[in-house]
Amino acid sequence: MDTHLQDMKRRDFLKIAGLTGGVLIGQHHISGQGRSSSKTAVAPDVILNLRAVLAEIPLVPGTPTQIWKYEGEVIQGSPDNLQALPNSFLGPTIRVRRGQTIRINFTNNLPEMTLMHWHGLHIPEAMDAHPRFTVASGQNYVYEFTVMNRAGTYWYHPHPDMRTGFQVYSGLAGLFIVTDNEEETLGLPSGEFDMPIVLQDRTFDANNQLVYQSNSMSGFVGDRILVNGRLTQSIDVAGKFYRLRFLNGSNSRFYKLAWSDGTPMTAIATDGGLLESPVQRPYLMLAPGERIEVIADFKAFPFKQRRQLISQTFSPMGNVGGGGDLPNGAAFPILTFRIRRRMADNFVLPQTLSTIVHYRLKDAVNAANPRTYPISFQMGNWLLNGRTFEMEGVAANETVGLNTLEAWDLSNQAGMMQMAHPIHIHLVQFQIIERQINASGAVNYEGVRYGYVDSGWKDVIMLMPGERARVLLRFEDFTGKFVYHCHILEHEDMGMMRNFQVI
Ligand code: C2O
Ligand code: CU
Ligand code: CU
């Protein structure tokens, strides 16, 4: 089936007219913990209703597929704040501006508990989906926060202890796109030329239903690649520059993104928004949870030709293996762009995109003695910091001070079993200042290292077997317990997650 993204362009998004803010009178917060009370009095700029529901959609020809889905409407704001994606299992795309205050009235219409996480956003503890803030079936939760992050591609998904993998797999995920004034001055491709590409993998049974077999060792990978929540294989585009916002929304699959004709990939942004200047790479690594933005020059490409985006082969699995019909690290086509329209385009990619204040190791409170968080495997469990998840537990080396810069070494060099892991840290965007690979990992490392973009703000870092990295993070604005974890969702679910506490 050749579904086109064409009909998903912005102008075709189902736009739901905003209602008035009057309905808010008398509404109260289910949980206001961690919020500064001064903000409560101020009316939010944007109010959304969002529900997690059971649904069915046509994904594969024939019987519709039963899914879990986010849906919602704008209560206050502009219709552009929430863009539904027809016939996609992704939730609506939330688009807001930096500095706006947003309230999301969330309702859980699923048969089990869940909770929402705003991946990459810098928000208070009670808004950030620590797994103890669950929302029971049939219950509501009000998420309210000011968008403090830079312009960029963030996303939202459930975060319940032990059920994140299943719930995301069932369809619960969506994009959260932030714009700001700085970004707008660049004149980057916008409107239909600003195209999200959310990559996920799924397996369907003979009756078109999703199959999920959690593999806590290697993680679950599916044998079909979905683009933006559909089995899209090609997109018609104009001979112009496009901004492609990639999100790896897969449970466990890593991608090595490349143009099949060998054209370099031009990256302009990472997890936390724009780079200082564009970078060119032969391919781009995209681990679960990561985002990367690319400028695609379809103008330079012959009219009526195709340009194919592929995932190249590499070896992320170390000595773990596993992965079914389309194992992690296998090569496969992702998407064909068909250049179908000629259009004038005078866009020139600016060589200065943004300013990033670079942290310095010497400014870290623990510069002389960075904290080390090893990844290891013991008795059938993946461990982080030598432990598995405890709902309230915080180890001695997991407490950090508010308003401090810290150096953390994340290490994937320990133990008998090793594979690649994407480590995600809530609350912050961090900077990667160093990577090292040991002798046993060196050969496989050559197949990925040129695809890392470490010069921007990050909230997920991919670590190959044998690799360790040093990151610098600053803890600001909010105290409380937050989590850091592996973004292979099956690993997170089995406990490869820990608290850190900002005091
Ligand atoms: Cu996208 Cu804690 O996760
Ligand atoms: Cu997150
Ligand atoms: Cu992992």
Side-chain angles (χ1 to χ4, degrees), residues 382 419-423 486-488 491 496:
W382 289 107
M419 61 177 279
H421 301 270
I423 302 300
C486 181
H487 219 286
I488 288 179
H491 293 179
M496 195 180 178

Side-chain angles (χ1 to χ4, degrees), residues 82 227 237 281 379 389 409 413 415 450 477:
L82 199 69
V227 175
V237 292
R281 295 295 150 86
M379 309 214 291
F389 183 61
D409 286 351
Q413 296 180 326
Y450 307 102
D477 304 311

Side-chain angles (χ1 to χ4, degrees), residues 53-75:
V53 301
L54 306 186
E56 57 171 41
I57 59 165
L59 276 176
V60 189
T63 314
T65 305
Q66 313 285 327
I67 59 163
W68 292 7
K69 191 179 189 338
Y70 290 122
E71 59 177 34
E73 52 278 332
V74 176
I75 300 300

Side-chain angles (χ1 to χ4, degrees), residues 1-3 56-66 87 204-210 224 231:
M1 187 171 73
D2 205 18
T3 342
E56 57 171 41
I57 59 165
L59 276 176
V60 189
T63 314
T65 305
Q66 313 285 327
N87 294 323
F204 297 91
D205 69 14
N207 196 33
N208 293 348
Q209 302 310 303
L210 292 169
R224 308 280 302 265
L231 287 164

Side-chain angles (χ1 to χ4, degrees), residues 115-118 123-134 141 143 157-161 426 481-483 492 497:
L115 73 166
M116 306 278 312
H117 173 49
W118 315 97
I123 53 178
E125 181 185 32
M127 303 296 120
D128 185 57
H130 188 282
R132 67 192 191 284
F133 297 116
T134 51
Y141 196 98
Y143 296 95
H157 62 77
H159 216 286
D161 188 25
H426 282 216
K481 280 179 196 168
F482 297 85
V483 291
E492 173 185 341
M497 171 158 73

Side-chain angles (χ1 to χ4, degrees), residues 221-430:
V221 292
D223 57 10
R224 308 280 302 265
I225 304 300
L226 278 81
V227 175
N228 294 335
R230 302 198 219 172
L231 287 164
T232 301
Q233 284 152 7
S234 72
I235 303 180
D236 287 357
V237 292
K240 272 177 73 78
F241 286 94
Y242 277 69
R243 176 184 190 171
L244 305 179
R245 299 173 185 259
F246 289 97
L247 158 65
N248 183 351
S250 310
N251 283 34
S252 296
R253 183 176 294 282
F254 296 78
Y255 299 81
K256 180 178 175 179
L257 302 173
W259 298 117
S260 64
D261 63 2
T263 304
M265 301 283 282
T266 303
I268 59 163
T270 51
D271 301 336
L274 291 168
L275 299 169
E276 287 178 294
S277 16
V279 299
Q280 290 210 327
R281 295 295 150 86
Y283 55 84
L284 294 168
M285 298 309 301
L286 198 66
E290 281 188 308
R291 290 84 70 208
I292 193 121
E293 297 186 30
V294 163
I295 292 290
D297 179 3
F298 298 130
K299 188 183 175 184
F301 209 69
F303 187 48
K304 293 202 165 147
Q305 295 292 306
R306 293 152 188 263
R307 172 166 277 182
Q308 197 177 37
L309 180 77
I310 57 173
S311 190
Q312 296 178 336
T313 183
F314 64 108
S315 300
M317 298 311 289
N319 46 12
V320 171
D325 287 346
L326 191 65
N328 230 331
F332 51 87
I334 296 174
L335 194 59
T336 301
F337 294 89
R338 300 188 296 200
I339 292 89
R340 284 293 171 89
R341 278 181 296 153
R342 272 193 210 278
M343 281 180 78
D345 192 351
N346 298 321
F347 176 71
V348 178
L349 180 59
Q351 286 312 294
T352 302
L353 297 168
S354 183
T355 312
I356 292 176
V357 176
H358 292 271
Y359 294 155
R360 295 175 305 186
L361 177 61
K362 65 179 168 103
D363 296 332
V365 287
N366 60 344
N369 188 20
R371 296 167 195 261
T372 300
Y373 297 117
I375 293 165
S376 55
F377 188 82
Q378 240 176 54
M379 309 214 291
N381 274 294
W382 289 107
L383 308 180
L384 196 52
N385 195 20
R387 298 163 170 87
T388 54
F389 183 61
E390 303 163 87
M391 193 59 86
E392 300 287 347
V394 179
N397 67 344
E398 290 171 329
T399 300
V400 298
L402 186 66
N403 296 321
T404 60
L405 182 74
E406 286 258 346
W408 288 12
D409 286 351
L410 305 165
S411 173
N412 192 13
Q413 296 180 326
M416 300 297 290
M417 302 306 284
Q418 285 181 20
M419 61 177 279
H421 301 270
I423 302 300
H424 171 47
I425 306 173
H426 282 216
L427 181 66
V428 294
Q429 293 288 331
F430 55 79

